[in-house]
Amino acid sequence: QGVQALRARQEQQQQRTFLTKWVTARDLQAAQSAIDKIPVEKFYVQFEAGRLDLVQDFVQWQNWESQHRGKTAQMPPFTFCGHSYLIDPVVKSLLVRFDTEIQNVSAIRASVVSGLTGHGDGLPMTVLNIHRDNLVEEALLRIGSLTTVELKRPLRVVFEGEEGLDAGALTREFFQILLNHITEPMFGLFVHDSDLRHVWFRTDARAKQQK
């Protein structure tokens, strides 16, 4: 009888434990579903037209960074570009495009000056001659051999053995083919997640060895 009573108490305790866990999980699920999710837009500053010149903000941030890079730590003036987590992706993309245009102009100017002094090709753009059937290997080798100025100049792609001028379409095609190839698993540069259906940079030691 004592053994039966002990078993009965154990069964009752197990039932109470199960009910407690079930009620707790149910209540948590109900509470989570009742909470409204915070919209992504709430995490970013909404810039109104005429209230803030983001281009000027970007220029101020860039000038301070270039003048104080590598020097004694000093509190920089506040800029939104210095706190980029406050800027939404659309505005960030516009700022990146603006920065690219500035660097293009600077690189072209530096190239022309170096050409006049006999220390460069003096070309206003970087020409990339590529064989379509060996695109990845040639692209990586040639891009890796370019100077900083050449990398920042506008790019013109020429497919060897094919006629036609690059008015932008060939460059877009070049990057599309290159991206499709280097994201393949055989190169080991990216990780493919079939469940989430996304591709991301590979950063483990094996990828570094393969690289």
Side-chain angles (χ1 to χ4, degrees):
Q1 292 180 352
V3 173
Q4 291 179 351
L6 178 61
R7 289 180 178 176
R9 286 196 297 271
Q10 289 177 346
E11 289 178 357
Q12 291 176 356
Q13 182 64 32
Q14 290 176 353
Q15 291 177 357
R16 285 196 294 269
T17 302
F18 171 79
L19 289 174
T20 301
K21 292 182 178 179
W22 182 79
V23 170
T24 302
R26 184 192 62 184
D27 292 343
L28 285 175
Q29 185 176 7
Q32 290 175 355
S33 61
I35 297 175
D36 293 332
K37 294 183 179 179
I38 301 177
V40 176
E41 294 78 12
K42 296 296 184 180
F43 292 93
Y44 302 117
V45 175
Q46 302 299 317
F47 299 100
E48 298 181 9
R51 296 291 297 275
L52 174 67
D53 188 348
L54 271 180
V55 172
Q56 182 61 36
D57 183 90
F58 176 83
V59 172
Q60 181 182 359
W61 170 69
Q62 279 284 68
N63 289 340
W64 194 93
E65 286 289 325
S66 61
Q67 293 173 7
H68 296 82
R69 187 178 293 114
K71 298 182 180 179
T72 305
Q74 181 180 349
M75 182 65 68
F78 177 84
T79 58
F80 282 100
C81 291
H83 300 77
S84 57
Y85 53 85
L86 297 174
I87 305 176
D88 68 74
V90 175
V91 177
K92 283 182 183 177
S93 65
L94 295 175
L95 291 173
V96 169
R97 182 176 300 180
F98 174 70
D99 180 51
T100 301
E101 293 176 355
I102 291 178
Q103 296 201 39
N104 280 165
V105 174
S106 299
I108 293 173
R109 185 182 297 113
S111 180
V112 172
V113 172
S114 63
L116 294 174
T117 58
H119 295 88
D121 55 25
L123 296 176
M125 64 180 62
T126 298
V127 180
L128 206 60
N129 294 285
I130 297 292
H131 290 86
R132 189 183 290 271
D133 56 356
N134 194 32
L135 186 144
V136 177
E137 289 77 6
E138 288 188 10
L140 295 179
L141 286 174
R142 299 194 180 187
I143 291 176
S145 65
L146 296 176
T147 65
T148 301
V149 172
E150 291 172 332
L151 287 170
K152 292 182 178 181
R153 292 186 310 197
L155 178 66
R156 176 186 175 187
V157 175
V158 176
F159 288 109
E160 294 287 356
E162 299 183 17
E163 297 182 357
L165 297 176
D166 182 13
L170 293 181
T171 299
R172 287 192 296 270
E173 182 184 4
F174 163 76
F175 280 112
Q176 183 177 0
I177 296 174
L178 182 62
L179 183 61
N180 289 339
H181 278 75
I182 65 175
T183 53
E184 292 179 357
M186 61 176 292
F187 286 100
L189 299 176
F190 294 84
V191 176
H192 294 251
D193 192 321
S194 57
D195 295 332
L196 298 178
R197 295 183 179 181
H198 75 195
V199 179
W200 194 246
F201 302 100
R202 188 168 190 170
T203 58
D204 56 16
R206 182 183 174 188
K208 294 179 181 178
Q209 292 176 358
Q210 292 176 348
K211 185 176 179 181

